[in-house]
Amino acid sequence: MKKILQDHSFGELSELVAAAGEKPFRAKQLFEGLMQGKALSAIPVSPALKERLLEEYEDEPVKIYKTFVSEDGTKKYLFLLADGNIVEGVLMKYKYGNTQCVSTQVGCRMGCKFCASTLGGRVRDLTAGEILGQILTVNRAEGGNLKERAVTNVVLMGSGEPFDNYDNVVKFLRLVTAEGGIRISARNISLSTCGLVPEMRRFAKEGIPLNLTVSLHAVTDEERQRTMPIAKKYKIAEILDACAYYFEKTGRRYIFEYSLIAGENSDEAHALALAALLKGKPCHVNLIRLNEVEERELKATSEKDAYRFLGVLEKQGISATLRRSMGSDIAGACGQLRAKFIR
Ligand code: SAH
């Protein structure tokens, strides 16, 4: 596989261009073209520079391979990477803007029992430029540019565990927020983790005040271990401590994802226990009814029970929302589309 130009910051590109004996304005041209989501061959730099770069670098490291459009306007993408791997992403349209969900790894090795992304394990990590490339190509395909962006918000909730690919993800975050690029502010970015405690603590010190989201899905360590193998390594108490530390360092409240699974984590007793666990903490709970995955046994909680669960949390003074599932007619849940495609 050739190298990926989108992995580089503007400063790094400038060095590259200088080393090729080209004038500094070429670096700006190159950077702007890349951030506009163009293929290297379509960027108007000098033919000599282009030829030289194309020998070493991928022309288009992330291509939109297929687009699926849902009845509710949600779009799902399959991206083709240079080595033939496929990852998926979603663009959800809201009143305030468009949120793109990106993947951070091909597959995942966390093994959560309800998730389709982890079915075939982890194939490989994505580079920073491959994560960024998903956004740049979609922004371009949707008619956006660097001023009028079609992608305004980003969630790292596609395939992969972001903190299992820490360095590339942090580099991606610096690129996507950088001046002169697509400039999505950290406040408009959410990173979801299954709760890798050391990385959560490390990330608190990076100076990237994004919305930290933790997949909790259970109220006791024993129950969490049933659906999330990572719970054997890190206790809920350690996760809550790491969240408190994140708040201390960034001033940002944190979010818990709680997928409601019938007969597993969604009784009234669970709601009360969850409220007790989170009472007084600067956090928000996002409830979602499980997206049923073909290869998995687990079933979604009924809508009625989901609203009851929400009601208990609210009565206990916990800030919570029950999110509607978007794009379920086009396999919106994590890894479902890729799994289907590979099948
Ligand atoms: N690895 C990260 C991000 C991945 S997925 C993490 O674990 O947080 C984003 C969210 O979708 C996570 O909260 C994940 O637990 C949840 N999820 C995965 N499969 C799901 C399913 N079938 N139904 C509902 N939520 C699911």
Side-chain angles (χ1 to χ4, degrees):
M1 206 166 122
K2 291 180 178 176
K3 292 190 280 186
I4 290 171
L5 217 41
Q6 289 81 347
D7 281 338
H8 294 308
S9 65
F10 177 65
E12 289 164 349
L13 282 182
S14 301
E15 283 171 30
L16 244 157
V17 166
E22 298 266 349
K23 297 220 167 63
F25 79 93
R26 293 290 183 202
K28 193 157 178 281
Q29 257 182 343
L30 189 59
F31 185 66
E32 258 181 39
L34 292 172
M35 293 298 138
Q36 285 164 356
K38 288 184 182 165
L40 174 54
S41 55
I43 300 173
V45 288
S46 68
L49 179 60
K50 199 181 285 188
E51 198 175 310
R52 181 167 171 163
L53 288 173
L54 280 168
E55 270 167 30
E56 267 183 78
Y57 289 91
E58 289 298 341
D59 186 27
E60 233 183 324
V62 180
K63 285 191 193 121
I64 296 178
Y65 180 67
K66 275 202 162 84
T67 307
F68 304 81
V69 185
S70 164
E71 285 166 6
D72 62 20
T74 302
K75 286 190 183 165
K76 185 118 196 184
Y77 301 92
L78 283 176
F79 299 104
L80 178 64
L81 307 176
D83 64 355
N85 270 304
I86 297 269
V87 290
E88 62 191 278
V90 191
L91 188 70
M92 292 159 286
K93 306 200 168 177
Y94 297 101
K95 275 179 230 114
Y96 57 80
N98 297 332
T99 299
Q100 187 175 348
C101 174
V102 295
S103 293
T104 56
Q105 295 176 316
V106 182
C108 182
R109 58 172 175 165
M110 295 297 128
C112 299
K113 292 280 188 295
F114 41 78
C115 184
S117 296
T118 200
L119 287 167
R122 185 194 63 167
V123 178
R124 71 170 174 87
D125 289 337
L126 297 190
T127 74
E130 285 174 322
I131 306 172
L132 182 65
Q134 295 167 56
I135 297 168
L136 302 179
T137 50
V138 167
N139 188 52
R140 184 172 180 79
E142 287 288 306
N145 53 47
L146 296 182
K147 283 209 180 87
E148 298 280 322
R149 290 163 308 170
V151 179
T152 54
N153 298 64
V154 171
V155 297
L156 282 74
M157 295 191 185
S159 300
E161 164 51 43
F163 284 161
D164 188 36
N165 182 18
Y166 189 90
D167 291 339
N168 289 324
V169 164
V170 168
K171 181 150 202 211
F172 153 73
L173 291 168
R174 299 208 191 284
L175 293 172
V176 77
T177 51
E179 278 302 312
I182 188 158
R183 271 178 52 239
I184 295 174
S185 113
R187 291 178 167 269
N188 294 335
I189 303 175
S190 300
L191 181 153
S192 183
T193 175
C194 63
L196 302 188
V197 169
E199 286 77 14
M200 286 169 70
R201 290 187 162 271
R202 186 175 165 201
F203 187 73
K205 291 179 277 189
E206 297 284 357
I208 307 173
L210 50 65
N211 307 302
L212 184 66
T213 303
V214 181
S215 300
L216 199 57
H217 307 322
V219 289
T220 66
D221 291 320
E222 292 69 35
E223 288 185 357
R224 198 162 184 262
Q225 284 168 18
R226 285 210 298 259
T227 53
M228 300 181 71
I230 194 65
K232 297 192 178 97
K233 199 158 173 193
Y234 303 113
K235 302 272 164 284
I236 291 175
E238 296 173 278
I239 291 177
L240 296 181
D241 280 349
C243 288
Y245 182 65
Y246 189 76
F247 180 73
E248 184 190 312
K249 285 283 165 196
T250 63
R252 304 287 291 162
R253 77 177 182 162
Y254 39 91
I255 298 138
F256 293 105
E257 294 282 327
Y258 198 97
S259 300
L260 297 163
I261 310 170
E264 179 64 42
N265 65 359
S266 56
D267 294 348
E268 192 173 345
H270 290 116
L272 285 168
L274 182 61
L277 206 57
L278 304 182
K279 198 145 223 169
K281 295 190 165 45
C283 68
H284 180 82
V285 178
N286 268 330
L287 300 171
I288 190 162
R289 289 169 56 219
L290 183 80
N291 251 309
E292 291 173 8
V293 174
E294 224 175 281
E295 295 84 347
R296 302 295 209 188
E297 313 272 84
L298 300 169
K299 294 282 170 235
T301 302
S302 71
E303 208 164 311
K304 188 167 149 245
D305 288 348
Y307 277 106
R308 184 182 304 151
F309 195 98
L310 174 68
V312 173
L313 290 185
E314 283 173 337
K315 204 169 162 204
Q316 297 294 316
I318 303 292
S319 155
T321 37
L322 175 62
R323 295 193 308 172
R324 60 204 161 101
S325 172
M326 294 177 82
S328 46
D329 56 327
I330 51 167
C334 290
Q336 283 184 8
L337 193 61
R338 175 171 171 267
K340 217 178 231 175
F341 174 77
I342 290 173
R343 225 182 12 243

